Amino acid sequence: MEIQRKINDNKGSFFIEINGKQIAELDFEIKDNILNAYHTGVRPELEGQGIAGKLFDKMVDFAREKGYKVVPSCPYINAKFRRNPEGFEDIWQK
């Protein structure tokens, strides 16, 4: 499963497609070096396989690479940050 990224203007997403069909996405918006991660979704039949976690890891790597702070508006991403606050201290915009 290859994670792809698309950004148009200030909105973007990390996503996975299989056979031309999008099966998972992590949507975000960037403004003033702040990445607002506001949605993560995985098709119901594929939940529980760690796909959202892979998208999350890709978003974290991207934020660190670009020097962005992250606002975890998505409940899933917020929970990941709260479970390990020290691990995301460098990018978490509180």
Side-chain angles (χ1 to χ4, degrees):
M1 265 184 267
E2 178 188 351
I3 298 175
Q4 300 177 62
R5 179 182 73 214
K6 63 182 171 188
I7 300 176
N8 295 322
D9 297 320
N10 293 332
K11 292 194 177 221
S13 74
F14 293 97
F15 63 97
I16 298 171
E17 286 184 352
I18 295 179
N19 299 326
K21 189 174 190 179
Q22 188 167 307
I23 58 132
E25 70 278 340
L26 187 159
D27 299 322
F28 60 88
E29 185 173 45
I30 300 169
K31 184 176 180 183
D32 301 327
N33 279 345
I34 305 288
L35 187 152
N36 178 9
Y38 61 86
H39 169 77
T40 305
V42 177
R43 292 187 62 96
E45 65 271 18
L46 299 171
E47 290 177 355
Q49 297 181 28
I51 296 170
K54 290 177 184 172
L55 293 170
F56 173 82
D57 291 344
K58 192 65 116 173
M59 182 273 302
V60 168
D61 290 346
F62 177 72
R64 287 183 170 137
E65 174 188 316
K66 298 293 187 181
Y68 294 142
K69 292 290 188 177
V70 176
V71 173
S73 297
C74 168
Y76 172 77
I77 295 170
N78 191 295
K80 295 277 276 183
F81 274 44
R82 290 189 180 282
R83 278 189 215 122
N84 182 13
E86 301 83 26
F88 304 108
E89 196 170 279
D90 61 323
I91 59 169
W92 192 353
Q93 179 71 37
K94 296 181 183 179

